[in-house]
């Protein structure tokens, strides 16, 4: 009976572990997987998809046979309320609107331009999402390195605490030295707790952004500079100007309401003694152009062209500035890493000399602790510089408009 209960308990524990593992977010295999996950969670996706559907519908409207839906008019006339001698009239008319000269073609062109602009805006937004994921990934990488070094530092500090406890009990050093080592270990333990908290916050931010656990950060490859005109942001701005210009051309052609051709059939009689006569006819409705109506439309279309051209110029300046800044940041990160490596090597060599001197009793424990702290801070600066170099390379690719 006891064996059966133990078996059931193990099965329940295994089931609980499986449920917990299923509840954890899936880890991203690559940075591209993380970007795709972030794109699916991005709140602008539905808006952009709806905008693309609208552009497709506008293009389809330009290919239609008529610019608007036909209309049927029904009319009945009688003298029932006055003479009432049997006069009756029944009339039906089918009105079909017609395209203005060049209006259908201009509508198709405006729809094509808007569709291309929307696709470019989607690509530009995907690039922006990739930038957010890149920053989040390297923030996780930096937090992981800091936490890793803090754990190593705590291991060394606890080893020093244990050594000073043993030597203090043996009467070889004072109890004050042991308390100094113990205080240093406790301080480093508190620092490690802060670093682990920062690491978990960075991982949680990445999960919130992508819906996945962060992948292992790896330096992005150095990519040759693609042509600047292929940059998604610049392409979206350029197609925005083209779309505004196509819409302006459509407004210039649409100077009046659509003309309409009607086919009419009427049955009528003048009195009860007469038979119904049937009459067929054709009608043409030609609206006039009114400047008071057209002027605001043209002004609005022109304003959109001017605004889109200004946005294109601003996008060009922004992209060029981002590329220059990314180059400078990458160069500075490379130089900083070289300096940090040399400094860390020098302080590690100094620490080795001081450790030998401490064992020989030539210097105090305080000097050794200070040297150890300086060496670990140099290691932290070196690790930070390594992560920053990877982040700078990712920023360079981002500024060039290259997706992971």
């Amino acid at each position: 009976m006891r064996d059966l209960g133990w078996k059931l308990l193990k099965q329940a524990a295994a089931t609980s572990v499986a449920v917990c593992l299923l509840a954890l977010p899936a880890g991203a295999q690559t940075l591209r997987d993380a970007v795709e996950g972030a794109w699916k969670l991005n709140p602008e996706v539905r808006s952009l998809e709806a905008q693309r559907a609208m552009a497709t519908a506008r293009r389809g409207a330009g290919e239609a046979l008529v610019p608007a839906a036909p209309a049927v008019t029904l009319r009945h006339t009688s003298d029932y309320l006055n003479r009432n001698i049997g006069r009756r009239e029944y009339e039906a008319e089918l009105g079909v609107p017609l395209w203005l000269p060049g209006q259908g073609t201009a509508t198709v062109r405006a729809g094509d331009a808007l569709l291309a602009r929307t696709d470019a805006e989607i690509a530009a937004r995907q690039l922006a999402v990739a930038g957010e994921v890149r920053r989040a990934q390297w923030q996780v990488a930096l937090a992981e390195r800091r936490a890793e070094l803090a754990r190593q530092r705590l291991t060394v500090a606890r080893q020093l605490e244990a050594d000073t406890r043993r030597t203090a009990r043996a009467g070889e050093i004072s109890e004050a030295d042991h308390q100094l080592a113990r205080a240093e270990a406790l301080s480093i333990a508190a620092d490690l707790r802060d670093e682990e908290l920062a690491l978990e916050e960075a991982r949680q931010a990445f999960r919130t952004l992508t819906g996945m656990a962060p992948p292992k950060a790896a330096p992005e490859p150095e990519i040759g500079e693609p042509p600047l005109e292929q940059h998604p942001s610049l392409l979206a701005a350029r197609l925005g100007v083209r779309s505004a210009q196509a819409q302006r051309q459509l407004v210039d052609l649409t100077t009046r309401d659509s003309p309409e051709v009607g086919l009419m059939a009427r049955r009528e009689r003048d009195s009860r003694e007469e038979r119904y006569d049937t009459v067929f006819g054709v009608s043409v409705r030609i609206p006039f152009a009114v400047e008071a109506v057209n002027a605001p439309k043209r002004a609005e279309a022109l304003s959109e062209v001017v605004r889109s051209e200004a946005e294109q110029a601003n996008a060009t300046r922004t992209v060029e500035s981002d590329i220059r800044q990314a180059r400078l940041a990458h160069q500075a990160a490379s130089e900083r890493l070289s300096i940090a490596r040399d400094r860390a090597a020098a302080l590690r060599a100094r620490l080795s000399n001081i450790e030998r001197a401490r064992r020989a009793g030539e210097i105090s424990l305080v000097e050794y602790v200070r040297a150890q702290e300086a060496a670990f801070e140099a290691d932290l600066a070196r690790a930070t510089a390594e992560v920053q170099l990877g982040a700078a390379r990712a920023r360079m690719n981002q500024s060039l408009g290259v997706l992971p």
Side-chain angles (χ1 to χ4, degrees), residues 132-382:
E132 296 176 4
V133 175
R134 278 168 162 149
R135 286 190 293 271
Q137 183 192 37
W138 287 105
Q139 287 175 356
V140 172
L142 179 59
E144 287 176 344
R145 294 296 299 274
R146 292 180 65 91
E148 179 184 357
L149 288 176
R151 294 188 194 98
Q152 295 175 4
R153 185 179 180 187
L154 180 60
T155 300
V156 174
R158 284 177 174 171
Q159 183 63 43
L160 179 63
E161 179 188 4
D163 292 343
T164 55
R165 182 191 306 113
R166 184 179 63 257
T167 53
R169 288 176 179 176
E172 298 177 4
I173 62 172
S174 65
E175 182 64 23
D177 286 344
H178 167 60
Q179 295 300 330
L180 173 62
R182 183 169 182 273
E184 183 67 14
L186 292 174
S187 175
I188 296 172
D191 292 340
L192 174 59
R193 185 68 188 90
D194 293 339
E195 297 295 347
E196 289 177 341
L197 176 60
L199 173 58
E200 184 56 34
E201 290 177 348
R203 286 173 174 171
Q204 187 59 43
F206 190 93
R207 294 189 191 102
T208 302
L209 178 62
T210 64
M212 303 177 180
K216 188 67 176 179
E220 295 190 20
E222 294 185 6
I223 299 176
E225 295 189 15
L228 195 60
E229 61 270 12
Q230 295 181 3
H231 195 287
S233 298
L234 298 184
L235 183 60
R238 186 167 61 253
L239 292 177
V241 174
R242 186 180 302 175
S243 176
Q245 291 172 344
Q247 184 63 29
R248 181 187 177 186
Q249 292 174 358
L250 177 59
V251 170
D252 291 340
L253 289 173
T254 310
T255 58
R256 64 190 71 198
D257 293 340
S258 298
E260 185 176 294
V261 174
L263 299 177
M264 177 268 294
R266 184 169 65 239
R267 286 176 59 85
E268 61 182 1
R269 72 181 183 185
D270 291 334
S271 64
R272 292 185 181 88
E273 289 77 14
E274 295 182 2
R275 296 176 60 184
Y276 279 98
D277 293 329
T278 302
V279 179
F280 296 96
V282 178
S283 64
V284 178
R285 178 177 174 272
I286 303 178
F288 290 100
V290 180
E291 183 63 18
V293 176
N294 294 328
K297 295 180 180 179
R298 288 197 300 267
E300 182 179 357
L302 178 59
S303 174
E304 182 65 20
V305 172
V306 173
R307 185 189 65 81
S308 60
E309 289 175 345
E311 288 183 351
Q312 181 184 15
N314 183 66
T316 302
R317 292 192 300 270
T318 300
V319 169
E320 291 175 349
S321 175
D322 288 344
I323 292 176
R324 287 194 298 269
Q325 292 178 8
R327 288 199 188 104
L328 292 175
H330 186 270
Q331 181 181 357
S334 300
E335 296 173 355
R336 190 184 304 112
L337 176 58
S338 178
I339 296 172
R341 284 173 175 171
D342 292 343
R343 181 171 180 266
L347 289 177
R348 277 292 166 186
R350 176 176 179 268
L351 178 62
S352 299
N353 294 332
I354 290 179
E355 185 174 7
R356 286 194 297 268
R358 183 184 71 87
R359 289 176 180 177
E362 298 175 358
I363 63 172
S364 65
L365 181 64
V366 175
E367 292 295 329
Y368 174 70
V369 170
R370 289 176 180 174
Q372 195 176 63
E373 182 179 0
F376 272 110
E377 288 180 354
D379 287 340
L380 179 60
R382 174 186 51 79

